[in-house]
Amino acid sequence: MTPERRLADLLGSAEFARAFTIAVLAAVFGSFTIERLTSTVTLATVIAVLCGVGASVLWVRRAELSPLRLAPSSLVAFLAWALVSLVWTADKSDTAFGWMALFGFAFLAIAVGHVRDTLQTVRALGDTLRILLVLSLAMEILSGILLDMPFGFLGIQGNLALGGPVQGLFGSRNMLGFVAVIALITFVIEWRSQSVTAPLAIPSIALAALLAFLSSSPTVIVLAVAVGVSTVALVIVRHTPRERRGVVQWVLSVLVVIALVAAFILRHAIIRLLDAGSDFSIRATLWNTILDFVSLKPIQGWGWFGPWARGEFPFTYINFLLDDRHQSALNAYFDVMLQLGWAGLVLFLLLGGVAMVRSWLVASARRSVVYAWTPLMLVTLAVDSMFESFTLEGAGWFLLVLCALRAGQSRSWRENIDAAHTGAIPTLHPER
């Protein structure tokens, strides 16, 4: 056997696919720690190398892939619009680097989505987050109890003995809370799908819940309520006979609209209940200022940067007006609107919205509980995007692309085109 053949066999093996997936997830969710312990250049190099490996794996597996189903068209459109913003951006180099980061994490999500199925992805994510959460708790214990000193280079303030807030290895309490909720969903799905046993699942769930509580992040409560309500709704739909599911889906949709309207009307009471008045006041002031700048370039925005670039207009001027140091709009939708205009926001909503509808319908129809992971993850991303911009970078963006790809693989117009070429009849397999 030639060396080329042996390399191809290695890249195409299931063992290599699992190792690659674990490496990608570790790099994506550990990106803050990697960057703080080394440098931005090192993180970029790690992501670039993993993209190269992912491209090699996809090339070896090209016979299994359909060009039409390689990536969601809504994702391609969003990436294309972000790239086109190079034409009118104030700093072409920062926009180019911001777009490459956006593309790099998206490509890793596409690679993982094509070499691992949903259950394998959930298992790999569960293993990765278990390790990162254990390390986060260990670092908080070391900083807040054993040494009683902050670890500034990791953003750890050492507040564990005071009951929080803690940041773990994720840079901020809100990011830790976000990751903890993602971990909770993943650990429960692992357990319910019998991928792991109770002796591993229960401590994992307890660990994620503990860190979510210690993060003292107001968004955790909102995310927990949103995921809980979505889970109950999904259970109701899944246990409804197929001939009545359509009616139930519409009823639930109306209830969601009513709940959103009620939440808007009662927003001040909810903010007081969450004791998040100061946080929301800061966000509201920031969003009002952003809208002033959006009105100057409503369609195309100011150009894609991702996290707010230091020294670039309009970000520095917004912070100057507010006498603050915001690194994002603290809202993914406002951030997209500021950087890519209303056109970019429509494409972003299309990317998440189509994925949500597809994944929800698939989870409603298929028997395995593992299909619930994708819509619940998208609910988490959508709700968190109202308070943070995590969905536009790093782990949040990676998960959004992965979920959109997964939803498109299960239910897409491309199935009909592929079937026309192969002579196969696309089916949803409603009872699987």
Side-chain angles (χ1 to χ4, degrees):
M1 182 181 295
T2 64
E4 292 81 5
R5 182 68 258 173
R6 285 197 296 268
L7 178 60
D9 289 342
L10 173 63
L11 292 175
S13 66
E15 293 80 5
F16 189 87
R18 172 170 171 74
F20 170 73
T21 301
I22 292 290
V24 168
L25 292 172
V28 169
F29 282 88
S31 58
F32 175 82
T33 302
I34 294 173
E35 186 173 10
R36 283 301 184 93
L37 291 179
T38 55
S39 67
T40 303
V41 174
T42 302
L43 175 61
T45 302
V46 170
I47 299 300
V49 169
L50 287 173
C51 285
V53 175
S56 300
V57 173
L58 292 180
W59 176 256
V60 169
R61 293 170 172 251
R62 62 189 181 279
E64 308 169 13
L65 305 177
S66 166
L68 283 173
R69 302 178 70 181
L70 189 62
S73 53
S74 52
L75 170 64
V76 174
F78 182 77
L79 287 173
W81 184 247
L83 182 60
V84 169
S85 71
L86 273 168
V87 174
W88 58 79
T89 182
D91 191 314
K92 297 189 185 304
S93 61
D94 277 353
T95 295
F97 284 124
W99 186 86
M100 285 190 287
L102 195 72
F103 176 80
F105 282 99
F107 185 82
L108 290 179
I110 291 171
V112 169
H114 282 294
V115 301
R116 299 272 88 182
D117 61 26
T118 303
L119 181 58
Q120 292 167 337
T121 302
V122 170
R123 283 289 293 112
L125 181 60
D127 290 342
T128 304
L129 293 183
R130 254 185 292 275
I131 294 173
L132 291 177
L133 291 180
V134 167
L135 290 176
S136 292
L137 182 59
M139 294 301 294
E140 290 288 350
I141 292 174
L142 184 63
S143 172
I145 297 178
L146 297 182
L147 297 180
D148 193 21
M149 60 179 290
F151 293 163
F153 66 99
L154 287 176
I156 295 176
Q157 299 173 9
N159 294 328
L160 182 60
L162 303 176
V166 300
Q167 300 78 34
L169 297 178
F170 302 100
S172 69
R173 64 172 184 165
N174 286 338
M175 186 62 181
L176 174 61
F178 173 63
V179 172
V181 172
I182 290 172
L184 273 171
I185 297 171
T186 304
F187 296 155
V188 171
I189 294 294
E190 277 186 315
W191 188 18
R192 293 287 291 114
S193 62
Q194 300 180 346
S195 299
V196 297
T197 58
L200 178 60
I202 294 176
S204 299
I205 294 171
L207 172 64
L210 174 64
L211 287 175
F213 172 76
L214 290 175
S215 71
S216 301
S217 173
T219 58
V220 166
I221 301 175
V222 179
L223 290 177
V225 171
V227 171
V229 171
S230 300
T231 301
V232 172
L234 194 54
V235 169
I236 292 173
V237 173
R238 285 168 61 86
H239 286 81
T240 300
R242 273 191 292 174
E243 59 273 13
R244 293 205 296 269
R245 275 183 195 154
V247 175
V248 173
Q249 298 275 30
W250 279 108
V251 171
L252 289 174
S253 300
V254 172
L255 290 176
V256 167
V257 173
I258 294 174
L260 290 175
V261 172
F264 178 77
I265 295 173
L266 301 173
R267 61 190 182 280
H268 297 297
I270 295 173
I271 291 168
R272 286 195 298 271
L273 180 64
L274 296 176
D275 193 24
S278 59
D279 284 348
F280 187 82
S281 176
I282 291 172
R283 283 169 164 78
T285 304
L286 173 61
W287 298 339
N288 287 332
T289 306
I290 287 174
L291 287 176
D292 293 336
F293 285 88
V294 169
S295 64
L296 299 176
K297 293 188 176 183
I299 303 300
Q300 77 273 29
W302 293 86
W304 179 258
F305 291 87
W308 287 10
R310 293 184 178 181
E312 288 301 329
F313 189 86
F315 312 119
T316 51
Y317 193 54
I318 291 173
N319 280 327
F320 171 76
L321 293 175
L322 300 177
D323 191 22
D324 214 323
R325 296 182 178 180
H326 295 296
Q327 296 180 345
S328 73
L330 299 179
N331 182 300
Y333 308 112
F334 276 93
D335 235 332
V336 172
M337 191 162 47
L338 176 65
Q339 299 186 43
L340 296 179
W342 284 100
L345 180 61
V346 169
L347 293 174
F348 182 69
L349 293 175
L350 190 64
L351 172 62
V354 171
M356 173 64 75
V357 172
R358 285 173 172 172
S359 62
W360 185 272
L361 293 176
V362 171
S364 302
R366 296 193 176 181
R367 180 177 300 171
S368 176
V369 72
V370 75
Y371 290 104
W373 179 82
T374 303
L376 293 180
M377 202 60 58
L378 287 168
V379 167
T380 303
L381 293 170
V383 174
D384 192 77
S385 292
M386 293 188 291
F387 307 100
E388 297 289 348
S389 296
F390 297 149
T391 314
L392 299 178
E393 59 175 312
W397 171 246
F398 173 89
L399 284 175
L400 176 61
V401 175
L402 179 62
C403 290
L405 177 66
R406 192 69 69 204
Q409 288 173 331
S410 300
R411 192 182 184 98
S412 171
W413 56 268
R414 295 172 178 83
E415 289 181 322
N416 296 327
I417 295 179
D418 287 340
H421 287 290
T422 62
I425 300 177
T427 59
L428 183 57
H429 303 300
E431 300 302 330
R432 290 187 183 176

